[in-house]
mmCIF file with all atom_site columns, all heavy atoms in Angstrom:
data_model
loop_
_atom_site.group_PDB
_atom_site.id
_atom_site.type_symbol
_atom_site.label_atom_id
_atom_site.label_alt_id
_atom_site.label_comp_id
_atom_site.label_asym_id
_atom_site.label_entity_id
_atom_site.label_seq_id
_atom_site.pdbx_PDB_ins_code
_atom_site.Cartn_x
_atom_site.Cartn_y
_atom_site.Cartn_z
_atom_site.occupancy
_atom_site.B_iso_or_equiv
_atom_site.pdbx_formal_charge
_atom_site.auth_seq_id
_atom_site.auth_comp_id
_atom_site.auth_asym_id
_atom_site.auth_atom_id
_atom_site.pdbx_PDB_model_num
ATOM 1   N N   . LEU A 1 29 ? 62.305 46.687 39.484 1.00 0.00 ? 29 LEU A N   1
ATOM 2   C CA  . LEU A 1 29 ? 62.775 47.265 40.793 1.00 0.00 ? 29 LEU A CA  1
ATOM 3   C C   . LEU A 1 29 ? 62.794 48.766 40.777 1.00 0.00 ? 29 LEU A C   1
ATOM 4   O O   . LEU A 1 29 ? 62.326 49.469 41.789 1.00 0.00 ? 29 LEU A O   1
ATOM 5   C CB  . LEU A 1 29 ? 64.260 46.798 41.106 1.00 0.00 ? 29 LEU A CB  1
ATOM 6   C CG  . LEU A 1 29 ? 64.399 45.473 41.642 1.00 0.00 ? 29 LEU A CG  1
ATOM 7   C CD1 . LEU A 1 29 ? 65.842 45.167 41.771 1.00 0.00 ? 29 LEU A CD1 1
ATOM 8   C CD2 . LEU A 1 29 ? 63.708 45.313 43.016 1.00 0.00 ? 29 LEU A CD2 1
ATOM 9   N N   . LYS A 1 30 ? 63.065 49.385 39.610 1.00 0.00 ? 30 LYS A N   1
ATOM 10  C CA  . LYS A 1 30 ? 63.087 50.843 39.467 1.00 0.00 ? 30 LYS A CA  1
ATOM 11  C C   . LYS A 1 30 ? 61.706 51.376 39.817 1.00 0.00 ? 30 LYS A C   1
ATOM 12  O O   . LYS A 1 30 ? 61.610 52.454 40.408 1.00 0.00 ? 30 LYS A O   1
ATOM 13  C CB  . LYS A 1 30 ? 63.515 51.204 38.069 1.00 0.00 ? 30 LYS A CB  1
ATOM 14  C CG  . LYS A 1 30 ? 63.420 52.611 37.722 1.00 0.00 ? 30 LYS A CG  1
ATOM 15  C CD  . LYS A 1 30 ? 63.905 52.885 36.281 1.00 0.00 ? 30 LYS A CD  1
ATOM 16  C CE  . LYS A 1 30 ? 62.862 52.287 35.305 1.00 0.00 ? 30 LYS A CE  1
ATOM 17  N NZ  . LYS A 1 30 ? 63.132 52.672 33.920 1.00 0.00 ? 30 LYS A NZ  1
ATOM 18  N N   . ASN A 1 31 ? 60.640 50.706 39.356 1.00 0.00 ? 31 ASN A N   1
ATOM 19  C CA  . ASN A 1 31 ? 59.320 51.253 39.570 1.00 0.00 ? 31 ASN A CA  1
ATOM 20  C C   . ASN A 1 31 ? 58.753 50.861 40.896 1.00 0.00 ? 31 ASN A C   1
ATOM 21  O O   . ASN A 1 31 ? 57.943 51.689 41.466 1.00 0.00 ? 31 ASN A O   1
ATOM 22  C CB  . ASN A 1 31 ? 58.386 50.643 38.470 1.00 0.00 ? 31 ASN A CB  1
ATOM 23  C CG  . ASN A 1 31 ? 58.702 51.175 37.058 1.00 0.00 ? 31 ASN A CG  1
ATOM 24  O OD1 . ASN A 1 31 ? 59.248 52.237 36.975 1.00 0.00 ? 31 ASN A OD1 1
ATOM 25  N ND2 . ASN A 1 31 ? 58.502 50.385 36.076 1.00 0.00 ? 31 ASN A ND2 1
ATOM 26  N N   . ASP A 1 32 ? 59.005 49.775 41.483 1.00 0.00 ? 32 ASP A N   1
ATOM 27  C CA  . ASP A 1 32 ? 58.313 49.261 42.648 1.00 0.00 ? 32 ASP A CA  1
ATOM 28  C C   . ASP A 1 32 ? 59.107 49.355 43.975 1.00 0.00 ? 32 ASP A C   1
ATOM 29  O O   . ASP A 1 32 ? 58.511 49.293 45.023 1.00 0.00 ? 32 ASP A O   1
ATOM 30  C CB  . ASP A 1 32 ? 57.852 47.845 42.447 1.00 0.00 ? 32 ASP A CB  1
ATOM 31  C CG  . ASP A 1 32 ? 56.889 47.702 41.295 1.00 0.00 ? 32 ASP A CG  1
ATOM 32  O OD1 . ASP A 1 32 ? 56.184 48.749 40.989 1.00 0.00 ? 32 ASP A OD1 1
ATOM 33  O OD2 . ASP A 1 32 ? 56.745 46.610 40.743 1.00 0.00 ? 32 ASP A OD2 1
ATOM 34  N N   . LEU A 1 33 ? 60.352 49.563 43.941 1.00 0.00 ? 33 LEU A N   1
ATOM 35  C CA  . LEU A 1 33 ? 61.146 49.567 45.181 1.00 0.00 ? 33 LEU A CA  1
ATOM 36  C C   . LEU A 1 33 ? 60.810 50.826 46.017 1.00 0.00 ? 33 LEU A C   1
ATOM 37  O O   . LEU A 1 33 ? 60.833 50.696 47.242 1.00 0.00 ? 33 LEU A O   1
ATOM 38  C CB  . LEU A 1 33 ? 62.668 49.586 44.835 1.00 0.00 ? 33 LEU A CB  1
ATOM 39  C CG  . LEU A 1 33 ? 63.637 49.408 45.958 1.00 0.00 ? 33 LEU A CG  1
ATOM 40  C CD1 . LEU A 1 33 ? 63.365 48.036 46.668 1.00 0.00 ? 33 LEU A CD1 1
ATOM 41  C CD2 . LEU A 1 33 ? 65.047 49.517 45.543 1.00 0.00 ? 33 LEU A CD2 1
ATOM 42  N N   . ILE A 1 34 ? 60.524 51.833 45.448 1.00 0.00 ? 34 ILE A N   1
ATOM 43  C CA  . ILE A 1 34 ? 60.075 53.073 46.189 1.00 0.00 ? 34 ILE A CA  1
ATOM 44  C C   . ILE A 1 34 ? 58.879 52.833 47.063 1.00 0.00 ? 34 ILE A C   1
ATOM 45  O O   . ILE A 1 34 ? 58.816 53.247 48.178 1.00 0.00 ? 34 ILE A O   1
ATOM 46  C CB  . ILE A 1 34 ? 59.869 54.255 45.181 1.00 0.00 ? 34 ILE A CB  1
ATOM 47  C CG1 . ILE A 1 34 ? 61.166 54.608 44.435 1.00 0.00 ? 34 ILE A CG1 1
ATOM 48  C CG2 . ILE A 1 34 ? 59.333 55.477 45.894 1.00 0.00 ? 34 ILE A CG2 1
ATOM 49  C CD1 . ILE A 1 34 ? 61.050 55.520 43.359 1.00 0.00 ? 34 ILE A CD1 1
ATOM 50  N N   . TYR A 1 35 ? 57.860 52.089 46.449 1.00 0.00 ? 35 TYR A N   1
ATOM 51  C CA  . TYR A 1 35 ? 56.684 51.786 47.214 1.00 0.00 ? 35 TYR A CA  1
ATOM 52  C C   . TYR A 1 35 ? 57.000 50.974 48.445 1.00 0.00 ? 35 TYR A C   1
ATOM 53  O O   . TYR A 1 35 ? 56.387 51.127 49.540 1.00 0.00 ? 35 TYR A O   1
ATOM 54  C CB  . TYR A 1 35 ? 55.653 51.122 46.355 1.00 0.00 ? 35 TYR A CB  1
ATOM 55  C CG  . TYR A 1 35 ? 55.148 51.990 45.217 1.00 0.00 ? 35 TYR A CG  1
ATOM 56  C CD1 . TYR A 1 35 ? 55.391 51.647 43.883 1.00 0.00 ? 35 TYR A CD1 1
ATOM 57  C CD2 . TYR A 1 35 ? 54.511 53.198 45.512 1.00 0.00 ? 35 TYR A CD2 1
ATOM 58  C CE1 . TYR A 1 35 ? 54.909 52.434 42.919 1.00 0.00 ? 35 TYR A CE1 1
ATOM 59  C CE2 . TYR A 1 35 ? 54.027 54.003 44.511 1.00 0.00 ? 35 TYR A CE2 1
ATOM 60  C CZ  . TYR A 1 35 ? 54.245 53.630 43.125 1.00 0.00 ? 35 TYR A CZ  1
ATOM 61  O OH  . TYR A 1 35 ? 53.812 54.417 42.141 1.00 0.00 ? 35 TYR A OH  1
ATOM 62  N N   . ILE A 1 36 ? 57.905 50.066 48.312 1.00 0.00 ? 36 ILE A N   1
ATOM 63  C CA  . ILE A 1 36 ? 58.290 49.235 49.529 1.00 0.00 ? 36 ILE A CA  1
ATOM 64  C C   . ILE A 1 36 ? 59.012 50.066 50.564 1.00 0.00 ? 36 ILE A C   1
ATOM 65  O O   . ILE A 1 36 ? 58.723 49.895 51.735 1.00 0.00 ? 36 ILE A O   1
ATOM 66  C CB  . ILE A 1 36 ? 59.222 48.086 49.038 1.00 0.00 ? 36 ILE A CB  1
ATOM 67  C CG1 . ILE A 1 36 ? 58.442 47.070 48.165 1.00 0.00 ? 36 ILE A CG1 1
ATOM 68  C CG2 . ILE A 1 36 ? 59.859 47.369 50.247 1.00 0.00 ? 36 ILE A CG2 1
ATOM 69  C CD1 . ILE A 1 36 ? 59.331 45.944 47.667 1.00 0.00 ? 36 ILE A CD1 1
ATOM 70  N N   . LEU A 1 37 ? 59.867 51.006 50.137 1.00 0.00 ? 37 LEU A N   1
ATOM 71  C CA  . LEU A 1 37 ? 60.638 51.795 51.101 1.00 0.00 ? 37 LEU A CA  1
ATOM 72  C C   . LEU A 1 37 ? 59.658 52.743 51.763 1.00 0.00 ? 37 LEU A C   1
ATOM 73  O O   . LEU A 1 37 ? 59.852 53.129 53.031 1.00 0.00 ? 37 LEU A O   1
ATOM 74  C CB  . LEU A 1 37 ? 61.715 52.503 50.433 1.00 0.00 ? 37 LEU A CB  1
ATOM 75  C CG  . LEU A 1 37 ? 62.856 51.649 49.832 1.00 0.00 ? 37 LEU A CG  1
ATOM 76  C CD1 . LEU A 1 37 ? 63.840 52.451 49.072 1.00 0.00 ? 37 LEU A CD1 1
ATOM 77  C CD2 . LEU A 1 37 ? 63.536 50.832 50.927 1.00 0.00 ? 37 LEU A CD2 1
ATOM 78  N N   . LEU A 1 38 ? 58.622 53.231 51.134 1.00 0.00 ? 38 LEU A N   1
ATOM 79  C CA  . LEU A 1 38 ? 57.706 54.204 51.749 1.00 0.00 ? 38 LEU A CA  1
ATOM 80  C C   . LEU A 1 38 ? 56.623 53.624 52.610 1.00 0.00 ? 38 LEU A C   1
ATOM 81  O O   . LEU A 1 38 ? 56.022 54.299 53.416 1.00 0.00 ? 38 LEU A O   1
ATOM 82  C CB  . LEU A 1 38 ? 57.070 55.038 50.622 1.00 0.00 ? 38 LEU A CB  1
ATOM 83  C CG  . LEU A 1 38 ? 58.051 55.973 49.853 1.00 0.00 ? 38 LEU A CG  1
ATOM 84  C CD1 . LEU A 1 38 ? 57.180 56.691 48.790 1.00 0.00 ? 38 LEU A CD1 1
ATOM 85  C CD2 . LEU A 1 38 ? 58.723 56.994 50.795 1.00 0.00 ? 38 LEU A CD2 1
ATOM 86  N N   . GLU A 1 39 ? 56.358 52.333 52.406 1.00 0.00 ? 39 GLU A N   1
ATOM 87  C CA  . GLU A 1 39 ? 55.346 51.623 53.149 1.00 0.00 ? 39 GLU A CA  1
ATOM 88  C C   . GLU A 1 39 ? 55.755 51.435 54.626 1.00 0.00 ? 39 GLU A C   1
ATOM 89  O O   . GLU A 1 39 ? 56.935 51.091 54.924 1.00 0.00 ? 39 GLU A O   1
ATOM 90  C CB  . GLU A 1 39 ? 55.087 50.250 52.599 1.00 0.00 ? 39 GLU A CB  1
ATOM 91  C CG  . GLU A 1 39 ? 53.928 49.538 53.175 1.00 0.00 ? 39 GLU A CG  1
ATOM 92  C CD  . GLU A 1 39 ? 52.623 50.250 52.958 1.00 0.00 ? 39 GLU A CD  1
ATOM 93  O OE1 . GLU A 1 39 ? 52.360 50.664 51.865 1.00 0.00 ? 39 GLU A OE1 1
ATOM 94  O OE2 . GLU A 1 39 ? 51.962 50.370 54.006 1.00 0.00 ? 39 GLU A OE2 1
ATOM 95  N N   . THR A 1 40 ? 54.819 51.771 55.560 1.00 0.00 ? 40 THR A N   1
ATOM 96  C CA  . THR A 1 40 ? 55.130 51.702 57.002 1.00 0.00 ? 40 THR A CA  1
ATOM 97  C C   . THR A 1 40 ? 54.704 50.303 57.600 1.00 0.00 ? 40 THR A C   1
ATOM 98  O O   . THR A 1 40 ? 55.343 49.917 58.525 1.00 0.00 ? 40 THR A O   1
ATOM 99  C CB  . THR A 1 40 ? 54.433 52.838 57.757 1.00 0.00 ? 40 THR A CB  1
ATOM 100 O OG1 . THR A 1 40 ? 53.018 52.727 57.482 1.00 0.00 ? 40 THR A OG1 1
ATOM 101 C CG2 . THR A 1 40 ? 54.929 54.159 57.319 1.00 0.00 ? 40 THR A CG2 1
ATOM 102 N N   . LYS A 1 44 ? 52.587 44.622 54.614 1.00 0.00 ? 44 LYS A N   1
ATOM 103 C CA  . LYS A 1 44 ? 52.417 45.145 53.252 1.00 0.00 ? 44 LYS A CA  1
ATOM 104 C C   . LYS A 1 44 ? 53.767 45.161 52.514 1.00 0.00 ? 44 LYS A C   1
ATOM 105 O O   . LYS A 1 44 ? 53.851 44.837 51.374 1.00 0.00 ? 44 LYS A O   1
ATOM 106 C CB  . LYS A 1 44 ? 51.813 46.495 53.241 1.00 0.00 ? 44 LYS A CB  1
ATOM 107 C CG  . LYS A 1 44 ? 50.342 46.530 53.598 1.00 0.00 ? 44 LYS A CG  1
ATOM 108 C CD  . LYS A 1 44 ? 49.747 47.875 53.517 1.00 0.00 ? 44 LYS A CD  1
ATOM 109 C CE  . LYS A 1 44 ? 48.245 47.854 53.866 1.00 0.00 ? 44 LYS A CE  1
ATOM 110 N NZ  . LYS A 1 44 ? 47.687 49.265 53.803 1.00 0.00 ? 44 LYS A NZ  1
ATOM 111 N N   . GLN A 1 45 ? 54.773 45.579 53.231 1.00 0.00 ? 45 GLN A N   1
ATOM 112 C CA  . GLN A 1 45 ? 56.197 45.583 52.661 1.00 0.00 ? 45 GLN A CA  1
ATOM 113 C C   . GLN A 1 45 ? 56.551 44.181 52.235 1.00 0.00 ? 45 GLN A C   1
ATOM 114 O O   . GLN A 1 45 ? 57.034 43.934 51.164 1.00 0.00 ? 45 GLN A O   1
ATOM 115 C CB  . GLN A 1 45 ? 57.203 45.995 53.643 1.00 0.00 ? 45 GLN A CB  1
ATOM 116 C CG  . GLN A 1 45 ? 57.320 47.524 53.782 1.00 0.00 ? 45 GLN A CG  1
ATOM 117 C CD  . GLN A 1 45 ? 58.362 47.892 54.761 1.00 0.00 ? 45 GLN A CD  1
ATOM 118 O OE1 . GLN A 1 45 ? 58.822 47.155 55.622 1.00 0.00 ? 45 GLN A OE1 1
ATOM 119 N NE2 . GLN A 1 45 ? 58.907 49.121 54.616 1.00 0.00 ? 45 GLN A NE2 1
ATOM 120 N N   . LEU A 1 48 ? 54.569 43.171 49.079 1.00 0.00 ? 48 LEU A N   1
ATOM 121 C CA  . LEU A 1 48 ? 55.097 43.891 47.877 1.00 0.00 ? 48 LEU A CA  1
ATOM 122 C C   . LEU A 1 48 ? 56.452 43.260 47.465 1.00 0.00 ? 48 LEU A C   1
ATOM 123 O O   . LEU A 1 48 ? 56.696 43.112 46.295 1.00 0.00 ? 48 LEU A O   1
ATOM 124 C CB  . LEU A 1 48 ? 55.312 45.334 48.200 1.00 0.00 ? 48 LEU A CB  1
ATOM 125 C CG  . LEU A 1 48 ? 53.986 46.182 48.352 1.00 0.00 ? 48 LEU A CG  1
ATOM 126 C CD1 . LEU A 1 48 ? 54.377 47.554 48.762 1.00 0.00 ? 48 LEU A CD1 1
ATOM 127 C CD2 . LEU A 1 48 ? 53.339 46.275 46.956 1.00 0.00 ? 48 LEU A CD2 1
ATOM 128 N N   . ILE A 1 52 ? 57.338 41.490 43.841 1.00 0.00 ? 52 ILE A N   1
ATOM 129 C CA  . ILE A 1 52 ? 58.488 41.814 42.954 1.00 0.00 ? 52 ILE A CA  1
ATOM 130 C C   . ILE A 1 52 ? 59.306 40.595 42.726 1.00 0.00 ? 52 ILE A C   1
ATOM 131 O O   . ILE A 1 52 ? 59.748 40.341 41.562 1.00 0.00 ? 52 ILE A O   1
ATOM 132 C CB  . ILE A 1 52 ? 59.322 42.930 43.602 1.00 0.00 ? 52 ILE A CB  1
ATOM 133 C CG1 . ILE A 1 52 ? 58.594 44.264 43.610 1.00 0.00 ? 52 ILE A CG1 1
ATOM 134 C CG2 . ILE A 1 52 ? 60.643 43.155 42.957 1.00 0.00 ? 52 ILE A CG2 1
ATOM 135 C CD1 . ILE A 1 52 ? 59.214 45.356 44.315 1.00 0.00 ? 52 ILE A CD1 1
#
Side-chain angles (χ1 to χ4, degrees):
L29 282 175
K30 174 179 72 171
N31 292 332
D32 297 335
L33 189 61
I34 296 170
Y35 295 118
I36 291 176
L37 296 175
L38 293 177
E39 186 61 50
T40 56
K44 287 183 181 179
Q45 279 182 338
L48 289 171
I52 289 175

